[in-house]
């Protein structure tokens, strides 16, 4: 009877063992074998492929980036998941919030990569991240309206250093001042800019017009306000005497401005703030920020996974311990730090280890989000494995060595997880 049961057990296990051998054991064994041969696969190369992993700059960057990923991404995702799980227990709409946070898990890595490639676009009109960043920046430091504006040699303005311009002659009350500029594309003019008005004298005040001295389609004369020319709305004008600003004004939609009598005899200066290059946000996908930007997209996807698992563990905590701590005088932060987190330690370990194994294999997000020009800067081992194993200059020896390295990196994490599970089972 015992022999029959063993045979039946073996018969049931055999298909699974065959699949395991064909899809897992054989590929691993062949990869280890192939990693000791050269690019053609005909000549034994010894440890040369493994040496290249730690001497080639591109692959070294991949190893360093993988270290950053393993440390940062699981930690941040787990911390956010813990925070969300704890906070949502105290709000009435917690379930709806959990649904929203978990929803990115329903999106494939491919789709998430495409979404964040658009989110990180440099142009604030297209990229959400820079649209927000530029909006915040402009709240505290307004962007210049006319970054390429400049006067012609025949204009009554000259360079004053530092990007500013100043009138060649002092202005006088009763004599309208003209501040013509060129170099502003019509498409870059404010949408509410009005046709410029010729300045009119106003007693003891200094009046004038700042306008774009350019007529679309040709025509017009320099230093003359023509009918089709627009005012430089928002242009800042300063009256300067003896190196000191005595009055300021801002041009209206039609370019007109007015200064008090104190400006009589002063030079008019257009400060450099009018001409600073427009702020276009952060180059998220540049060499400096591409890896943190991609990690941010990963956290957006996996924080919901961490939150759901931690929330499940939180629901199973003995509430009497938490209440006892509060009765003993502990505040909420002390309860969280000294009671909740230690009791959740097994769940947090599961989440952290799972995410560590996951990020060691990260490929999709990096491949899709990082532009070709910075893929070497954002490189990770899984991406380098793909680049080394496929294409016209593929080197299967190096690709196999990288796959073996990834296996060796995953094994300690798996062993730690197995030991932890066994320890929990014995309790």
């Amino acid at each position: 009877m015992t022999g029959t049961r063993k045979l039946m057990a073996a018969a049931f296990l055999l298909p699974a063992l065959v699949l395991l051998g064909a899809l897992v054991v054989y590929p691993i064994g062949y990869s280890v074998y192939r990693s000791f041969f050269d690019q053609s696969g005909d000549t034994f190369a010894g440890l040369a492929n493994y040496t290249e992993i730690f001497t080639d700059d591109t692959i070294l960057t991949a190893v360093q980036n993988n270290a950053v990923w393993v440390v940062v991404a699981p930690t941040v995702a787990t911390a956010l998941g813990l925070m969300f799980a704890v906070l949502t227990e105290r709000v009435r709409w917690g379930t709806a919030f959990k649904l929203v946070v978990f929803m990115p898990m329903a999106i494939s890595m491919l789709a998430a990569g495409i979404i964040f490639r658009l989110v990180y676009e440099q142009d604030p009109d297209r990229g959400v991240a820079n649209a927000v960043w530029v909006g915040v920046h402009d709240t505290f430091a307004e962007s210049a309206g006319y970054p390429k504006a400049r006067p012609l040699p025949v204009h009554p303005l000259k360079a004053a250093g530092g990007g500013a311009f100043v009138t060649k002659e002092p202005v006088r009350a009763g004599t309208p001042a003209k501040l013509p500029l060129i170099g502003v594309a019509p498409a870059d003019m404010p949408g509410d800019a009005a046709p410029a008005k010729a300045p009119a004298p106003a007693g003891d005040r200094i009046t004038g017009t700042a306008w774009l001295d350019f007529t679309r389609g040709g025509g017009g004369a320099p230093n003359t306000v023509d009918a089709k020319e627009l005012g430089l709305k928002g242009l800042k004008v300063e009256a300067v005497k003896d190196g000191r600003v005595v009055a300021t004004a801002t041009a209206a939609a039609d370019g007109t401005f007015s200064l008090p009598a104190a400006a009589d005899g002063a030079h008019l200066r257009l400060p450099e703030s009018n001409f600073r290059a427009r702020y276009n946000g952060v180059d998220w996908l540049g060499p400096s920020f591409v890896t943190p930007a991609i990690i941010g997209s990963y956290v957006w996807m996996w924080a919901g996974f961490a939150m759901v698992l931690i929330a499940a563990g939180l629901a199973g905590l003995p509430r009497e311990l938490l209440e006892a701590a509060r009765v003993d005088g502990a505040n909420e932060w002390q309860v969280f730090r000294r009671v909740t987190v230690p009791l959740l330690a097994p769940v947090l370990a599961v989440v952290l280890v799972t995410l560590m194994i996951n990020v060691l294999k990260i490929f999709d997000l990096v491949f899709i989000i990082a532009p070709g020009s910075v893929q070497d800067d954002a490189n990770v081992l899984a991406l380098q494995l793909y680049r080394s194993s496929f294409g016209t200059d593929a080197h299967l020896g190096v690709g196999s060595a990288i796959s073996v390295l990834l296996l060796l990196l995953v094994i300690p994490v798996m062993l730690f997880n197995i030991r932890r599970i066994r320890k929990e089972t014995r309790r």
Side-chain angles (χ1 to χ4, degrees), residues 221-259:
N223 292 325
T224 302
V225 178
D226 297 303
K228 294 182 179 179
E229 294 174 347
L230 299 175
L232 295 173
K233 180 186 177 182
L235 194 76
K236 293 179 176 61
V237 181
E238 297 175 344
V240 180
K241 280 185 179 180
D242 301 322
R244 185 170 56 89
V245 176
V246 295
T248 60
T250 302
D254 58 5
T256 58
F257 62 89
S258 176
L259 292 162

Side-chain angles (χ1 to χ4, degrees), residues 15-45:
L17 291 174
V18 170
L19 287 174
L20 186 66
L23 301 179
V24 179
V25 178
Y26 172 75
I28 291 175
Y30 182 76
S31 294
V32 174
Y33 168 80
R34 184 65 179 84
S35 68
F36 293 105
F37 286 81
D38 66 357
Q39 184 171 7
S40 65
D42 299 326
T43 306
F44 183 75

Side-chain angles (χ1 to χ4, degrees), residues 298-350:
Y298 178 89
V299 170
W300 175 77
M301 287 192 69
W302 287 87
F305 166 83
M307 178 195 65
V308 169
L309 289 188
I310 295 171
L314 198 59
L317 292 185
R319 299 294 163 173
E320 57 271 15
L321 292 179
L322 304 179
E323 292 303 324
R326 293 187 182 101
V327 169
D328 287 342
N331 57 37
E332 291 302 319
W333 169 246
Q334 291 171 326
V335 171
F336 172 76
R337 187 163 60 92
R338 297 183 179 276
V339 181
T340 304
V341 172
L343 290 175
L344 283 175
V347 178
L348 296 176
V350 170

